[in-house]
Amino acid sequence: MPPKSFEVKPKLDESGSSIGELLEISMGPHHPSTHGVFRMDVVLDGEKVVKLKPVCGYLHRNHEKIGENISYLASMPYTDRLDYFCSMTNNWAYALTIEKLAGLAVPERAEYIRVIMAELTRLQNHTSLIGFFVHDMGALGTPLMYAFREREKILDLFEEVSGARMMCNYMRFGGVRVDVNDEWLARTKQLVANYGRFLDEFETFLNENEILLARTQGVSPLTKEQAINASLTGPLLRAAGVNYDVRKVDKYGIYSRFDFKVPLGEHGDLYDRYMMRVLEMRESIKILNQALRDIPGGPVMDPKAKLRGFRPKPGEVYGRIESPKGELGFYIISDGGPNPYRYRVRPPSFINITILEDMCLGHRVADVIVILGSVDIVLGEVDR
């Protein structure tokens, strides 16, 4: 049975005497702030949050069990559906894991293409997040439409090279499915060259907007200790001042070749989480300029990679990348057969949402909507 939309409970003092009433409400599973099928059970004292419980599972799709009953390659298009905003990075995390397990090399050109696709994905994810974030505050229309205008340009590039705008199914074990041509690279360079100007305009509109400042500064702060203890990753962790980025820590792919910084916040509040996305996009532009400048010629697939009859040696492996939302990892156990014996996903959205109650306690119910938006979850990987 679904919960009642609200329930009034007595508010008790230390002796157990009634001193007022608490209101328990259910936000979702269809509330527009949830960005999908998600629910929050919230207990309010007036407008102040005194308890909050995230409730997920409405969209559960059995992703991991499916992965244990189909071939290794057949799981690649399923990864597109985890964080459906970021299929390219989902593909890369899974491909990297299987390459570690099977000992496959990736040609130089394919490594550069992967970085380009991943940073374009970071741009469109963060741009969309800021549009949704401001939309959750009540700025209906303009910021979100500006964000989607820029996102469409990146999706056009994805569609041209992969055949799909969102479910790209582009990476392969040992490389990428198809090469990019010179015309595609030229259009990508043009997009990257213009993206900084778009960010300048976006920041001019938003950074010192008095409504945004009032709704974000000092709201929902997280300390370094809270972020680390909750195993947070990605922009949410770095907004709290923790210098941790898998691109720098693991230097997977060819990220060690690029000059870029890891932006950090000071307060861990909503404003820092907003600025993390803006500053990370600036760094992504730096990486893209370097990758597009230095991309070599050559093949895009390891000739040793066998896509049919693929049976990696028995063993276990964990592979991870810095997806736009945080650490995305795959844990695979092989028994030498055509299917994984064990298939497990470590999704950033699910881990990051676990601290939602601590982020909301003491704040007003209207702030809950914006706080949830600042986490940047996608229910495809929460309810995988």
Side-chain angles (χ1 to χ4, degrees):
M1 289 288 292
K4 296 179 179 178
S5 59
F6 66 89
E7 182 178 354
V8 177
K9 294 184 176 180
K11 179 183 177 183
L12 307 177
D13 62 13
E14 294 181 356
S15 65
S17 301
S18 177
I19 56 174
E21 293 179 331
L22 297 177
L23 181 66
E24 182 175 347
I25 63 173
S26 178
M27 300 178 70
H30 303 299
H31 195 284
S33 76
T34 60
H35 306 281
V37 190
F38 177 73
R39 190 178 101 228
M40 294 177 288
D41 288 342
V42 187
V43 178
L44 300 173
D45 180 3
E47 289 193 13
K48 185 173 70 175
V49 176
V50 296
K51 186 177 179 181
L52 184 146
K53 179 184 177 182
V55 183
C56 53
Y58 290 94
L59 196 67
H60 182 58
R61 294 166 297 118
N62 216 22
H63 177 102
E64 291 153 333
K65 184 55 65 177
I66 290 173
E68 294 170 7
N69 289 279
I70 58 178
S71 71
Y72 286 88
L73 181 59
S75 284
M76 186 64 77
Y78 280 92
T79 67
D80 290 340
R81 277 78 178 170
L82 289 170
D83 177 1
Y84 42 79
F85 267 72
C86 305
S87 68
M88 288 289 191
T89 48
N90 300 345
N91 288 176
W92 192 3
Y94 180 57
L96 180 146
T97 304
I98 302 304
E99 287 156 3
K100 289 175 66 176
L101 179 65
L104 296 174
V106 180
E108 284 279 294
R109 184 173 176 85
E111 290 280 26
Y112 275 88
I113 292 173
R114 287 180 172 188
V115 169
I116 292 168
M117 297 302 181
E119 296 309 316
L120 287 175
T121 298
R122 204 175 314 276
L123 284 181
Q124 63 95 8
N125 179 85
H126 287 358
T127 300
S128 302
L129 181 276
I130 292 174
F132 284 126
F133 181 65
V134 181
H135 189 273
D136 288 341
M137 292 182 201
L140 307 180
T142 303
L144 184 59
M145 291 303 101
Y146 277 22
F148 268 47
R149 180 193 65 189
E150 300 305 311
R151 176 174 178 256
E152 287 298 302
K153 297 174 184 177
I154 295 176
L155 296 188
D156 286 343
L157 293 173
F158 288 169
E159 182 180 24
E160 182 176 342
V161 73
S162 72
R165 300 173 65 76
M166 294 181 67
M167 312 304 173
C168 297
N169 187 22
Y170 180 62
M171 308 290 181
R172 290 293 181 268
F173 313 142
V176 296
R177 180 156 52 89
V178 293
D179 199 356
V180 297
N181 57 36
D182 292 340
E183 291 78 10
W184 188 91
L185 290 172
R187 284 193 291 276
T188 304
K189 289 179 182 178
Q190 185 64 38
L191 180 143
V192 173
N194 292 332
Y195 220 87
R197 186 177 67 182
F198 159 70
L199 290 181
D200 291 341
E201 294 176 349
F202 223 33
E203 289 195 74
T204 300
F205 291 148
L206 299 177
N207 282 10
E208 298 181 9
N209 181 283
E210 59 183 290
I211 297 176
L212 184 140
L213 294 178
R215 294 293 304 277
T216 60
Q217 289 189 333
V219 179
S220 183
L222 278 180
T223 65
K224 291 182 180 181
E225 291 74 21
Q226 285 177 305
I228 293 170
N229 290 339
S231 300
L232 304 184
T233 55
L236 202 60
L237 175 69
R238 293 187 285 274
V242 181
N243 188 357
Y244 190 86
D245 187 311
V246 180
R247 293 174 295 176
K248 290 286 191 180
V249 175
D250 287 1
K251 297 181 173 61
Y252 63 91
I254 53 171
Y255 273 110
S256 60
R257 303 182 187 182
F258 302 116
D259 178 25
F260 67 101
K261 298 178 182 179
V262 178
L264 299 176
E266 296 181 0
H267 310 290
D269 58 8
L270 288 180
Y271 190 77
D272 279 358
R273 291 173 212 157
Y274 156 72
M275 283 305 302
M276 276 305 98
R277 274 70 181 212
V278 174
L279 296 175
E280 286 192 7
M281 285 192 282
R282 298 283 187 187
E283 298 304 313
S284 289
I285 291 173
K286 291 182 185 178
I287 296 172
L288 283 164
N289 281 324
Q290 295 170 71
L292 290 165
R293 179 195 66 202
D294 298 337
I295 183 171
V300 296
M301 276 292 293
D302 181 357
K304 297 180 182 178
K306 295 174 62 178
L307 300 182
R308 290 188 178 182
F310 182 72
R311 291 172 178 260
K313 61 185 179 181
E316 62 181 296
V317 66
Y318 178 72
R320 62 179 187 167
I321 69 164
E322 184 69 33
S323 85
K325 294 175 173 62
E327 179 183 327
L328 171 61
F330 286 82
Y331 172 65
I332 304 291
I333 297 179
S334 169
D335 60 1
N339 307 338
Y341 174 77
R342 186 73 174 94
Y343 178 104
R344 176 73 173 170
V345 185
R346 191 272 185 207
S349 289
F350 180 70
I351 304 299
N352 290 349
I353 203 71
T354 58
I355 200 173
L356 183 62
E357 181 179 35
D358 292 331
M359 296 166 66
C360 294
L361 290 180
H363 297 288
R364 291 171 297 181
V365 65
D367 293 327
V368 172
I369 313 303
V370 188
I371 293 168
L372 175 64
S374 74
V375 181
D376 190 12
I377 65 168
V378 162
L379 270 296
E381 65 180 16
V382 173
D383 290 340
R384 66 210 178 284

